[in-house]
Amino acid sequence: MGRVRGTEEDRQHMSFGGVSGMGTDVRVKRATTLLQRSWPGATVLRPADIGLGSGQSAAADFVAIIEALSDAGFLAYEALVLNADGPMVVDAALTARGRAALDAGAELPH
C-alpha cells in the first residue's frame, strides 16, 4: 500500500478532524455509523437520520456535512437531491478511504 503524501495540513484536511471543524462531530459520527452499517451497500441519508431537524438551518448543516465528508474523500454518492421535503443523499456509501480511517480508529474532535 502507498503512503499518503502531502503536507500535514493536507492530511489534516483529509481527516475527520478536518471534517468536523464545524462543530458537527456527533452528526458526522452518526452519518459515518449509518454508512458503515449499510456497507457494502449504499443508503439514502436525510437530515433526520443524523439528528438534524427540519428547516433551512438543518438543511444547510446537512449539506455542509455531506460536502465536507465528500471533499475529504470519505463519502461517495449518486445524487444530492434538494426538494420541498428537504435534502437527501441518494446511494451514499463510505469510500475505501473512509472505511480505512474508521478502521484505524480515527477520532472525531469534540
Side-chain angles (χ1 to χ4, degrees), residues 1 7-8 10 17-18 21 23 25 36-37 41 44 48-49 52 57 59 63-65 73 87 99 101 103 106 108:
M1 292 204 147
T7 66
E8 181 60 33
D10 292 339
D25 54 309
Q36 220 173 6
R37 287 181 186 157
V44 173
D49 298 333
L52 292 168
S57 177
V63 171
I65 290 166
R99 290 188 316 276
D103 289 345
L108 298 171

Side-chain angles (χ1 to χ4, degrees), residues 41-101:
T43 190
V44 173
L45 284 180
R46 295 177 181 88
D49 298 333
I50 62 171
L52 292 168
S54 59
Q56 288 182 341
S57 177
D61 289 347
F62 178 77
V63 171
I65 290 166
I66 297 305
E67 180 180 33
L69 288 170
S70 179
D71 287 352
F74 296 152
L75 172 69
Y77 57 89
E78 185 66 28
L80 171 61
V81 178
L82 304 171
N83 62 31
D85 295 331
M88 75 173 99
V89 178
V90 179
D91 290 342
L94 283 174
T95 62
R97 173 181 273 165
R99 290 188 316 276

